Amino acid sequence: MDKLKIVSDLQNIVPDESIKISEPLSKHTFIKTGGIGDVFINPSEVNQLCEIVRYAFVNEIPLTVLGKGTNVIIRDSGIRGIVVSLEKFNEISVKGNEIRVGSGANIIEVSRVALQHQLSGLEFACGIPGTVGGALIMNAGAYGGEISNVLTSAKVITQSGEFLTLSEKEFQFGYRSSVFAKEKFIIVEALFLLEKGDPTLIKGKMDENTFLRESKQPLEYPSCGSVFKRPPNNFAGKLIQDSGLQGVRIGGAEVSTKHAGFIVNLGNATSTDYLQLIRHIQETVKEKFGVDLETEVKIIGDE
């Protein structure tokens, strides 16, 4: 793959300063691990993004889209082809009970904007450290709330570069699943419909959720959030804890002593450390309890 040729072609779509060659992707993940991306591009307009997607599709170049990298592990071998960051798609606007949001906006920030406008429905999101796009893909939820409860429409780009607007009946939301994940749509914008509420009650709920998160989760270290999905009629964290795995370490990656559902980077972890520890956890829990733990965190990159 000719990286210089790709860059030369992309310079016709976005400004030079938006393109980087051999970008360390550890700079773009919460756990601070991951290899290099061949060509890293940071568009700021929808038409640019559509053109990039079409270019990659027509030329059969692998395309990977990143938000804030909160719920992702990028392998140490990195990512071939084009890596697109959506961090510039971060505008937030409010009209009545609706909030229109770019997919690269922080969902925490959106919940705060909702509070400022006395809108209720996103209190659950006040501690989710990802983007709106990531929240839609995973149908993110916490403390009794889910994205599926408030999303009314979404603008997306297909893998071939077609621009679509999806409505509620097309979302196919399930537990940590959605049509956005199934079809690998690139999310551009989301529209949330909220309800007018008492700002004191809204803030109280957000403060309560923040306290619960800070008291239970290992926020003092980089992590990728909950590593595993909740197995039927059980909890991943409890199974891991009951397996005696808290504090187990491979390289710089450790099963958190504060919450067994998290793996933290103690400072020098690699993605390989994370993946080996994940496999060790899965094998141990399977052996002790007969339960197959499925990863919630997205694992991407060259194998």
Side-chain angles (χ1 to χ4, degrees), residues 40-292:
F40 185 88
I41 186 164
N42 201 349
S44 58
E45 299 174 10
V46 173
N47 64 324
Q48 293 174 347
L49 183 56
C50 285
E51 286 191 52
I52 293 165
V53 175
R54 292 188 196 110
Y55 170 79
F57 180 77
V58 169
N59 291 280
E60 299 183 342
I61 299 169
L63 179 74
T64 303
V65 178
L66 286 181
K68 286 187 67 179
T70 55
N71 194 41
V72 66
I73 297 173
I74 299 174
R75 293 184 178 93
D76 292 323
S77 49
I79 299 178
R80 306 289 71 82
I82 300 170
V83 180
V84 176
S85 168
L86 297 180
E87 66 179 18
K88 290 183 179 178
F89 291 79
N90 58 7
E91 291 189 7
I92 304 172
S93 63
V94 180
K95 183 178 180 180
N97 289 10
E98 294 181 333
I99 299 186
R100 190 176 299 276
V101 194
S103 62
N106 295 337
I107 191 68
I108 290 176
E109 180 60 26
V110 181
S111 73
R112 291 172 181 162
V113 171
L115 169 61
Q116 291 168 8
H117 288 80
Q118 302 181 22
L119 294 174
S120 176
L122 280 172
E123 292 90 332
F124 74 91
C126 68
I128 297 175
T131 62
V132 167
L136 266 60
I137 288 169
M138 296 294 292
N139 187 20
Y143 308 116
E146 280 187 337
I147 285 294
S148 59
N149 298 332
V150 292
L151 184 70
T152 59
S153 72
K155 295 180 180 179
V156 303
I157 299 171
T158 69
Q159 291 294 295
S160 61
E162 183 183 1
F163 188 80
L164 302 175
T165 299
L166 304 183
S167 61
E168 288 180 79
K169 62 185 179 185
E170 300 169 284
F171 296 154
Q172 299 179 31
F173 278 132
Y175 173 64
R176 301 297 176 262
S177 67
S178 67
V179 71
F180 310 107
K182 293 170 189 171
E183 300 295 334
K184 298 183 178 179
F185 288 141
I186 299 166
I187 300 165
V188 175
E189 184 182 273
L191 182 66
F192 297 122
L193 178 62
L194 307 179
E195 296 180 355
K196 281 293 183 182
D198 183 332
T200 303
L201 295 178
I202 297 170
K203 185 176 185 304
K205 187 61 177 176
M206 291 173 67
D207 288 345
E208 178 186 349
N209 291 346
T210 299
F211 171 77
L212 290 172
R213 178 170 178 266
E214 291 178 347
S215 62
K216 293 180 179 180
Q217 298 182 15
L219 304 180
E220 63 273 25
Y221 293 107
S223 82
C224 52
S226 296
V227 178
F228 302 101
K229 294 180 180 179
R230 185 178 67 240
N233 305 314
N234 220 316
F235 295 95
K238 186 177 188 310
L239 290 169
I240 296 167
Q241 181 176 331
D242 292 348
S243 298
L245 290 169
Q246 279 187 287
V248 170
R249 187 183 305 177
I250 292 180
E254 180 187 81
V255 180
S256 170
T257 55
K258 191 172 184 180
H259 190 310
F262 288 69
I263 297 176
V264 296
N265 183 350
L266 296 179
N268 60 343
T270 65
S271 292
T272 301
D273 293 340
Y274 264 84
L275 297 177
Q276 289 179 349
L277 188 51
I278 286 172
R279 282 194 294 272
H280 177 62
I281 292 168
Q282 289 172 319
E283 290 167 0
T284 304
V285 169
K286 177 68 172 178
E287 180 183 341
K288 288 185 177 292
F289 298 103
V291 176
D292 292 306

